[in-house]
Amino acid sequence: MSHVVKKLKIAVIGGGSSYTPELIEGFIKRAPELPVSEIYLVDVEQGREKLEIVGNLAKRMLDKAGLNISVHLTLDRREAISNADFVITQFRVGGIDARIRDEKIPLKYGVIGQETTGPGGFAKALRTIPVILDICRDIEELAPDAWLINFTNPSGIITETVIKHTGVKVLGLCNVPVNMVNYVAKAYGVEMDRVYIQFAGLNHLVWGLRVYLDGEDITQKLIEQLASDENMTMKNIPGMQWDKDLLKSLGVLPCPYHRYYYMKDTMLEEEKRKATHEGTRGEVVKKVERELFELYKDPKLDEKPPQLEKRGGALYSYTACNLISSIVNDKRDIQVVNVKNSGAILDLPEDAVVETNCVIDKNGAHSLSVGRLPAKIRGLIQVVKAYEELTIEAGVNGDYNAALQALTIHPLVPSAGIAKKILDDILAENREYLPQFFK
Amino acid sequence: MSHVVKKLKIAVIGGGSSYTPELIEGFIKRAPELPVSEIYLVDVEQGREKLEIVGNLAKRMLDKAGLNISVHLTLDRREAISNADFVITQFRVGGIDARIRDEKIPLKYGVIGQETTGPGGFAKALRTIPVILDICRDIEELAPDAWLINFTNPSGIITETVIKHTGVKVLGLCNVPVNMVNYVAKAYGVEMDRVYIQFAGLNHLVWGLRVYLDGEDITQKLIEQLASDENMTMKNIPGMQWDKDLLKSLGVLPCPYHRYYYMKDTMLEEEKRKATHEGTRGEVVKKVERELFELYKDPKLDEKPPQLEKRGGALYSYTACNLISSIVNDKRDIQVVNVKNSGAILDLPEDAVVETNCVIDKNGAHSLSVGRLPAKIRGLIQVVKAYEELTIEAGVNGDYNAALQALTIHPLVPSAGIAKKILDDILAENREYLPQFFK
Amino acid sequence: MSHVVKKLKIAVIGGGSSYTPELIEGFIKRAPELPVSEIYLVDVEQGREKLEIVGNLAKRMLDKAGLNISVHLTLDRREAISNADFVITQFRVGGIDARIRDEKIPLKYGVIGQETTGPGGFAKALRTIPVILDICRDIEELAPDAWLINFTNPSGIITETVIKHTGVKVLGLCNVPVNMVNYVAKAYGVEMDRVYIQFAGLNHLVWGLRVYLDGEDITQKLIEQLASDENMTMKNIPGMQWDKDLLKSLGVLPCPYHRYYYMKDTMLEEEKRKATHEGTRGEVVKKVERELFELYKDPKLDEKPPQLEKRGGALYSYTACNLISSIVNDKRDIQVVNVKNSGAILDLPEDAVVETNCVIDKNGAHSLSVGRLPAKIRGLIQVVKAYEELTIEAGVNGDYNAALQALTIHPLVPSAGIAKKILDDILAENREYLPQFFK
Amino acid sequence: MSHVVKKLKIAVIGGGSSYTPELIEGFIKRAPELPVSEIYLVDVEQGREKLEIVGNLAKRMLDKAGLNISVHLTLDRREAISNADFVITQFRVGGIDARIRDEKIPLKYGVIGQETTGPGGFAKALRTIPVILDICRDIEELAPDAWLINFTNPSGIITETVIKHTGVKVLGLCNVPVNMVNYVAKAYGVEMDRVYIQFAGLNHLVWGLRVYLDGEDITQKLIEQLASDENMTMKNIPGMQWDKDLLKSLGVLPCPYHRYYYMKDTMLEEEKRKATHEGTRGEVVKKVERELFELYKDPKLDEKPPQLEKRGGALYSYTACNLISSIVNDKRDIQVVNVKNSGAILDLPEDAVVETNCVIDKNGAHSLSVGRLPAKIRGLIQVVKAYEELTIEAGVNGDYNAALQALTIHPLVPSAGIAKKILDDILAENREYLPQFFK
């Protein structure tokens, strides 16, 4: 192909995140194919200090790489978005303290408290929805042709909110699928590009329906190996063996987050134990982040420190930069993205967002047709999608009934009574972030 | 209309049941429109004594009514089925003792043990499927034009099994919807025929989407009343108030069995308490039945004794006889039946069985189109339908993996680990009734 | 049931139609169950004289019947609609002369010219859509609870327009299905209520999938009889035998309008012949109407004159009054109505209007689930529905491209080139009635 | 990737075709990536002479190329299929004379007579279906892992027959889409790989929904250019301009065969004219083939003669070899193939075969999700799919009623009466090839 690619402006909302060096590293590695000229790191007033620290590290990293990319640190979101080619969202409304509350409220009632799944993810969605809608209004006005690359969790719900309630071109991302590919590659001692997985599902509830190595279907072999072997875990999920019989009877490859659904009891016990002894995952992350920012401050540091890996989020920049590059370069390769269903999975509503294999080109993501799901995984995905739909309704309209039903039907919540208690706590403790409920 | 109706032969499989007098009473009341000439009550060897007792009561009831209907008591199922017009199935494989085991196994693992829902209903399905398939083979051979009216629980699963695996014309029945109509009628102090409910769902998981009184939509009013009032309960479900907020947020009328799903925790506590103090529901029924059969023995008894009502099953004969009469008399009225979906509910597979409003005529049941379900109820129904589909697969093929997944995804079961323990106990304790698993 | 029914106000748009006496007769016959107190006959300035004539006949008919129903003749549509319970639309934009043009334009290009089907019906739809949308705006404002009973052709397209573009409660009617029932009843020498037909399709493209006599399926027998017998024709369709082999191979009962599709060549020849010798159907009707109005003028005439039957429209009042009575009296009987599909026929879009069996009650029409159509009839219905959808788009937005595609894909039109010629003629000759195209 | 590819055995059914040199040339060009070791050219007794001629040319071509590929000429189909990796079907039951009859019968009744569309394609399908089913039985037995690459027309119908009635892995091919890409590339003076078209439809009824040049959507621009420019025609379709208004109003890119549908009248006139003056297309081809075989006989000829291009079938080998190479090499690139729908196009049955963009890898073709089609093209595709479904039913079962309905609903056939005449002629003139009808 012989077409000139324009210089790119990238806006990163939540630019003060500890993940930013990972992203910068990605742009450095992809420099030959991704002609980035400007990166705007934007954050809110409370994140000003972190933004300074991480922004300066980013500048040092780019300097070292000898790349002519200018980094702007700003609290002015509109300036950052204006005429951007890509807006990457990785912000966290309420910061790490809100996450810790999200984890603790459910635990109080004997329910798993997790950042993205169950009542924790629900609370995060309610806080995030008003902000993402604001951001989208800015994009519609200031950068209508921009792609919104959303990493903010719960990524599927946020993406569906944007698709249903704005005109912004959005793709939802998550590093879970690529980590599953990576795991399989490592298990077989091969490069990632020799492994291909047919994914279908929702964000953090995605299955590998078929796993291929060099084009050979190894699904059954892999499952048998997994049933006898250690694991498939990423750092922000307590490491625990898959139930052997479960895996065999399932016949497809679950993602790490499925443990919360299939192994509710042991996961809950593990969470409780950890909360007591080492703190919730959020509390651990808070400490890790504090240490990371201490490292980032070092004016001699000019590369992503290896300690960042403890933070989780492996292959985050790989996923984001791969996607952006395929769009920019019209690659037509296959990546896993959260997109509007439009019939790709026949068992889910056409206007729902699903996470599935897509061909990526200049015009975005084009899902491969999945057809009908096996009964074994169909029901769970359908009930969680109904939960997501209700969560969006609640998050957009501040609808208490929708919120209560969202939590009530969530598979991690044992009853409407407990759902109500958790919901009332969430509303009370997040009051400042939930204008839609407290008008 | 002016057409001659032929005399009807009715075969009742499980004819020795304590419910039979209820059914006989139904035929007596409907005699002017239902020209029954022969009733075959058929049972298995173990039920011979009960069959004698209840059969003789049936004869005395019909004598008293002055009806020329001959009652045959037999252990020869094929004789009963041969040339029958209607085959009514109300049998219970393994008898009341199997039910008690179904209730106790899950309780051992902290899971609700219930006759028709959850692991208890699952075990009952596994026992029943091989028998119903045998019966259907007899019907295909000996009475291919007969209607199978199935009351054997779990009625939806059994009906779906028959539709998917045989050529028999079947309609699945349950008295839950008619009892919900009855409840609403009583609540408003009106006759049942002034209340009309648009039902949609699955057997024992059916919602009243809209409730009408004299054609006026009273759904919201009724829900508010229910949210403040005592109940809507039938005798074989522990009486317990609906959570007020749940009802309001739901916006449609749940059925009594929904409590097991929406109020898992309190229902479980209640069950445990009762199991300890008065016995499981099965144990209570066992006692009630023993007493009933003592009553039935009385040669002077020639009508349905009022004590039968304690047994549960209210309006059982009303439901059955209404259906049979509408078929025989080509009435084209609306009743709630378990039928093949075929697109009536767009959110469920086309070949699934659903419980919904149908026009009943000589050619069977023709469902009204429901369209798409609201998200609030869509997810639950979908996950339970996936459970049912897997249960049928397990029950027909003796497929352990399907069985384990069926239990694992059931909303009442907290994890794959517990599912496996329960499944293994069920298989072990029901070995004699599960030839499909122990070939 | 024991509820008081309020007195009804009926507004008839196009009240000056020659059909009005038929409708009045219907209200007279139904008086015991239909408590009509006011009938507003409304027409436009050009119809003033006819309105006077037919309105006075209506008054004489009601006087003779001794009914206390007041008839109002008015050109003020808003007065008529205000607080009406039912608005019946039977108007014809452009009058009979427009119809004659609709018939002649296609004929000029060797294409069938028919009032409701093909380019003729298309032209009528374009003229009618702006007017029906105006009427609906009045109803939304002045009688938001009223039912719009639409008889204006093409009835399916007009009903779909109202459903897609307004908030008015509408039911589309046609006398074709009831005439098919009537035909079968006559063929077997029985009363209509002993015949039941399962209809599915679109307005003027409806099939009887199954035909029952006293509940017995007589479909095959009937088709064989039809294949050997004279007909099934209504007066406004040239009488012509069904092709015997066609009927047998079809396996379901077509409606009279299917001849235009299945027997395009012979129908066209017949039309051409008639146009030359006796005039188009519109020209014949024009003469019939002139004669009818002469009769109507007679101050001694106080009943529907038998000559009206020549006009076509048999059972028109039967259909309308049946529907209104079932709504008013919450009957829950089954009638054939044009309603939103919502999944009743799985092969058509959910938001399309279909003509099918519905349960009628106080809340309107509730379709029975049809499922999937046999391939033999599926394709034709789908292509005609696409034509209808494009016609609505063209009619609402004045979209030339949609209009040209609508005609191009219509099965009666042989090519895009001819479609364009016909379209351009239609636009030119109907300029005054097509504000949407000539803004 | 680093995996060893086994040597391939290719069986070509209809190996004596004049196209074979095109295919051989394709294998020669792809030799570096396609490790073919054996090519079996198989034909029937009547084709023995042609097989000898073309087979020897093939040998000379491969010799010249210095490739170590052995060519086997055989009348023993089973020997050819046994252990083949790919079975390519390009046979023609009844030879060119049958094709000429297919063209002439419809013309007799004023209907377009075309090899693959309308009654001509229908007749070809009836002759081909029994043979392809025989071939598939051989493949199931002798080469169950082989891919059947079907080129025999009507390719979509034949592929759907194989999918519905056999267990063979099949992909249906056609050179129309690749020629459309080629045309666009030529129109813009660029290489084919810079043009990407999103195709959706059926074989010989496929639309380019979106056309991209270097990733930019040029659909509208292209349509405007086409509306003013000469054409897009392939050699075996009479060259004729697209109707300008049609193209503009359509908004998507039609394929050359759409002319038969959209421009029925002018296409018919053109066909009649040609039939009178130069013979039908089949008669022309017969002459061209005779000349080609004279050329092929020349023992000095050792490459594909340029005269083959007059025969039509441009890019035939490009399409076939591309597909085979992507399978063998697990390429995961995008090609247009006829595959089972499975929800890719929501407006067509799930078990229908559609022609659409697919990702090709070692496991076959995986369609991209298309979603819902615009109304402008939806109806035509649906009615033609219904025709195809009925044709398959007729072709497999010898069902006269299905055959008559297939032809009756085909958009090129004006009435049931003419359909019957054509059908009866087809059956009479093809008696020896239609065992399913003459058992």
Side-chain angles (χ1 to χ4, degrees), chain D residues 100-117:
Chain D
I100 294 168
R101 288 195 300 270
D102 291 348
E103 291 166 341
K104 290 192 165 173
I105 292 172
L107 269 183
K108 217 164 93 185
Y109 301 102
V111 173
I112 284 168
Q114 209 280 335
E115 192 194 7
T116 63
T117 303

Side-chain angles (χ1 to χ4, degrees), chain D residues 248-298:
Chain D
K248 274 193 190 165
S249 68
L250 196 52
V252 298
L253 188 64
C255 83
Y257 287 86
H258 279 106
R259 297 180 177 208
Y260 292 110
Y261 295 91
Y262 289 134
M263 303 161 70
K264 237 177 310 211
D265 42 9
T266 45
M267 292 299 275
L268 178 61
E269 288 318 306
E270 177 78 6
E271 252 199 8
K272 281 180 183 166
R273 196 184 53 69
K274 286 200 174 163
T276 311
H277 294 90
E278 62 203 64
T280 68
R281 177 75 195 151
E283 289 171 316
V284 172
V285 163
K286 189 173 182 175
K287 227 178 90 204
V288 170
E289 292 218 327
R290 209 178 299 125
E291 293 162 6
L292 278 174
F293 276 92
E294 282 310 307
L295 286 173
Y296 290 179
K297 279 180 189 164
D298 179 358

Side-chain angles (χ1 to χ4, degrees), chain A residues 351-397:
Chain A
D351 65 350
V353 159
V354 299
E355 188 167 293
T356 191
N357 294 28
C358 295
V359 172
I360 310 295
D361 66 16
K362 216 170 193 167
N363 299 280
H366 313 277
S367 59
L368 274 89
S369 188
V370 174
R372 303 207 173 269
L373 298 173
K376 287 175 181 175
I377 67 174
R378 194 183 69 215
L380 179 55
I381 215 175
Q382 288 176 320
V383 75
V384 172
K385 177 46 76 184
Y387 148 79
E388 292 189 354
E389 205 172 311
L390 290 164
T391 299
I392 292 167
E393 203 182 317
V396 171
N397 304 317

Side-chain angles (χ1 to χ4, degrees), chain A residues 98-113:
Chain A
R99 171 176 176 173
I100 294 168
R101 288 196 300 272
D102 290 349
E103 291 166 341
K104 290 193 164 173
I105 292 171
L107 269 183
K108 219 163 92 185
Y109 301 102
V111 173
I112 284 168

Side-chain angles (χ1 to χ4, degrees), chain D residues 43-338:
Chain D
D43 219 306
V44 291
E45 179 57 39
Q46 301 92 305
R48 182 195 287 270
E49 196 199 336
K50 284 169 141 193
L51 179 64
E52 285 296 323
I53 295 167
V54 84
N56 287 326
L57 170 56
K59 287 176 182 174
R60 294 193 299 271
M61 289 172 71
L62 290 163
D63 278 353
K64 186 193 182 193
L67 292 174
N68 190 15
I69 300 176
S70 59
V71 173
H72 305 259
L73 313 183
T74 180
L75 303 188
D76 181 349
R77 192 173 71 199
R78 291 173 58 85
E79 182 201 354
I81 287 174
S82 187
N83 295 314
D85 297 287
F86 292 89
V87 178
I88 301 175
T89 43
Q90 56 175 30
F91 61 91
R92 188 191 297 276
V93 180
I96 195 75
D97 289 329
R99 171 176 177 174
I100 294 168
R101 288 195 300 270
D102 291 348
E103 291 166 341
K104 290 192 165 173
I105 292 172
L107 269 183
K108 217 164 93 185
Y109 301 102
V111 173
I112 284 168
Q114 209 280 335
E115 192 194 7
T116 63
T117 303
F122 168 82
K124 192 170 195 317
L126 294 194
R127 286 195 306 273
T128 306
I129 286 172
V131 178
I132 197 78
L133 292 178
D134 265 359
I135 291 171
C136 286
R137 268 170 239 129
D138 286 349
I139 297 176
E140 286 168 343
E141 181 191 341
L142 304 168
D145 293 332
W147 281 101
L148 171 57
I149 308 294
N150 178 62
F151 258 103
T152 293
N153 272 322
S155 187
I157 289 177
I158 300 310
T159 306
E160 187 164 321
T161 302
V162 171
I163 286 176
K164 285 183 166 169
H165 295 280
T166 84
V168 169
K169 300 190 304 186
V170 63
L171 295 170
L173 269 190
C174 180
N175 60 350
V176 163
V178 79
N179 275 290
M180 288 168 74
V181 170
N182 192 32
Y183 169 79
V184 175
K186 277 189 182 149
Y188 285 85
V190 302
E191 293 297 305
M192 277 174 72
D193 67 358
R194 290 178 54 192
V195 173
Y196 179 73
I197 303 185
Q198 188 203 349
F199 287 101
L202 310 181
N203 179 241
H204 286 199
L205 193 74
V206 72
W207 284 270
L209 299 185
R210 286 273 171 288
V211 183
Y212 301 95
L213 175 61
D214 295 333
E216 297 301 327
D217 188 333
I218 57 164
T219 320
Q220 287 319 308
K221 216 166 41 177
L222 173 67
I223 283 170
E224 270 153 45
Q225 178 186 332
L226 280 168
S228 60
D229 190 9
E230 238 285 312
N231 61 45
M232 232 204 108
T233 321
M234 283 176 292
K235 290 210 179 55
N236 51 2
I237 299 180
M240 209 166 283
Q241 288 194 293
W242 277 104
D243 184 295
K244 188 178 166 167
D245 298 284
L246 164 66
L247 261 183
K248 274 193 190 165
S249 68
L250 196 52
V252 298
L253 188 64
C255 83
Y257 287 86
H258 279 106
R259 297 180 177 208
Y260 292 110
Y261 295 91
Y262 289 134
M263 303 161 70
K264 237 177 310 211
D265 42 9
T266 45
M267 292 299 275
L268 178 61
E269 288 318 306
E270 177 78 6
E271 252 199 8
K272 281 180 183 166
R273 196 184 53 69
K274 286 200 174 163
T276 311
H277 294 90
E278 62 203 64
T280 68
R281 177 75 195 151
E283 289 171 316
V284 172
V285 163
K286 189 173 182 175
K287 227 178 90 204
V288 170
E289 292 218 327
R290 209 178 299 125
E291 293 162 6
L292 278 174
F293 276 92
E294 282 310 307
L295 286 173
Y296 290 179
K297 279 180 189 164
D298 179 358
K300 280 170 294 180
L301 182 73
D302 57 6
E303 55 181 28
K304 188 185 78 177
Q307 291 91 332
L308 177 51
E309 275 177 37
K310 284 208 294 190
R311 170 71 187 84
L315 296 174
Y316 163 62
S317 78
Y318 175 94
T319 312
C321 294
N322 253 11
L323 179 65
I324 293 174
S325 177
S326 289
I327 293 174
V328 169
N329 296 299
D330 196 35
K331 281 195 183 169
R332 278 205 292 286
D333 58 350
I334 299 176
Q335 299 183 32
V336 184
V337 188
N338 285 270

